[in-house]
Amino acid sequence: RYSIYRFDHFNIQDYVNFKNPDNLEWENSGGNIGLKAEFLFSAIDGSVSWFSGFDPQPGIDIINLSINQTGLTLDLGTEAFRHNTIGADFATIAGGFGIRGEAALRIPAKENRDEVYTPETDLRYVLGVDRSFGNFNLMVQYIGQWVHDFTAMPDLMLFDESGEIPIIDSSMYDLIPDLLNEQVHGFNRLIYGQTHRVSHTFSVRPSVSLFHSTVNAEVYLMYNISTEDLMVMPK
C-alpha cells in the first residue's frame, strides 16, 4: 500500500486545498516486480537486489489550478511514481562487533522523471555497528544520501502561513503555473529528504533486556546534521 499523508498537520495558505483521492494508477498498475540474490559465506552474508515498480511514498501533484482577479485556488493531491532501484547489503562480525551496511540507487522511471511529484535520482546508504555487553546492546548508525542533478532549494512561500503569492493583474497569469510548479516540486524535495546534495544522519539505539528477557526497553535517537532535525523514539 502507498503511504497516506496527514495533510491536516501541514501549515499552508488558505487558498491551498489537499485532496487524498484513491490512487487508481497504483491500484491498476499490474503490480511490481523484484529480484533478490542472497550469498552466505563463512565470514560475511549479504544480498544484491533489483526492484521495478511504484514507490510506497507518493509525491504531491497539482490536481487543479484556478486563477482570477480575486486570487487563486490550488488543489493538491498524492501521485505515485514508478522507479527502478538497485540495492546491496552485507553483514559481518569483527571481534565482538556486528557490522552491517546497505545501499540503494533509486532511478525514477522515464515516464515520471520530469513530473513535479517525482524525486531526483538518489543514492542512499547505511553503515551500522552494534555491540552487546551482557544484557545491554548499543547500535550506532550512519545514514547518508546523495542526490544526482541537485539544484538549490527554492523559498517555499506556498507552504508558509506568512507567505503570499501576489496577483496584481491578468498579465501575471502566465507566470503563476511555473511558479507553483517550482513550489510544489520544492515541497516534494522536503518529503524525499532531497534538500541537500549530500545529507548526513547519525542514529543511536541503546537497549536493555531485563528480568530474564521478559522486559525489553530501548530508545532510538536520530539526528540529521544537514537539516538539524532530531527524532527520539522510546519503546
Side-chain angles (χ1 to χ4, degrees):
R1 294 179 178 272
Y2 53 89
S3 300
I4 303 297
Y5 294 126
R6 290 295 305 274
F7 292 131
D8 54 313
H9 287 188
F10 295 168
N11 295 323
I12 55 176
Q13 294 289 332
D14 292 337
Y15 55 80
V16 180
N17 303 305
F18 275 106
K19 311 291 184 180
N20 213 344
D22 293 333
N23 206 319
L24 297 180
E25 183 181 7
W26 172 295
E27 296 169 355
N28 298 329
S29 68
N32 309 312
I33 184 172
L35 299 175
K36 182 178 181 180
E38 296 185 345
F39 55 88
L40 307 173
F41 299 122
S42 58
I44 186 172
D45 300 337
S47 71
V48 292
S49 61
W50 166 74
F51 171 82
S52 179
F54 282 107
D55 196 298
Q57 187 176 16
I60 305 298
D61 194 19
I62 297 176
I63 298 176
N64 181 62
L65 172 62
S66 175
I67 308 174
N68 53 51
Q69 293 181 343
T70 61
L72 63 86
T73 300
L74 180 65
D75 294 333
L76 302 176
T78 54
E79 187 68 48
F81 66 93
R82 298 188 68 90
H83 66 99
N84 287 276
T85 293
I86 303 169
D89 66 80
F90 77 92
T92 187
I93 295 175
F97 294 91
I99 303 174
R100 298 182 309 277
E102 59 182 286
L105 177 65
R106 177 175 59 178
I107 306 171
K110 185 176 181 180
E111 63 268 22
N112 298 134
R113 201 165 296 166
D114 297 327
E115 303 292 345
V116 298
Y117 55 82
T118 305
E120 299 293 340
T121 296
D122 59 11
L123 176 66
R124 291 165 288 176
Y125 37 92
V126 179
L127 180 64
V129 177
D130 66 82
R131 178 70 186 269
S132 294
F133 305 91
N135 294 336
F136 178 78
N137 179 269
L138 178 65
M139 182 189 72
V140 179
Q141 284 192 138
Y142 166 74
I143 305 164
Q145 182 180 33
W146 171 81
V147 180
H148 182 60
D149 286 341
F150 178 82
T151 57
M153 281 287 291
D155 182 16
L156 298 182
M157 53 186 172
L158 182 67
F159 300 94
D160 186 336
E161 288 179 315
S162 61
E164 291 290 343
I165 296 181
I167 299 180
I168 301 174
D169 53 49
S170 59
S171 65
M172 295 188 60
Y173 288 1
D174 293 340
L175 304 177
I176 295 298
D178 288 341
L179 174 60
L180 293 178
N181 279 335
E182 180 187 57
Q183 291 284 299
V184 175
H185 183 56
F187 183 67
N188 281 306
R189 291 173 62 182
L190 286 177
I191 293 176
Y192 300 126
Q194 296 188 342
T195 58
H196 295 72
R197 183 183 299 276
V198 181
S199 299
H200 305 284
T201 302
F202 287 92
S203 68
V204 179
R205 190 194 70 183
S207 62
V208 62
S209 177
L210 303 171
F211 306 114
H212 305 288
S213 299
T214 59
V215 175
N216 297 310
E218 68 177 56
V219 59
Y220 180 75
L221 301 97
M222 185 172 68
Y223 181 69
N224 189 318
I225 297 175
S226 304
T227 61
E228 299 182 350
D229 288 326
L230 173 66
M231 180 175 67
V232 181
M233 297 177 60
K235 183 168 68 173

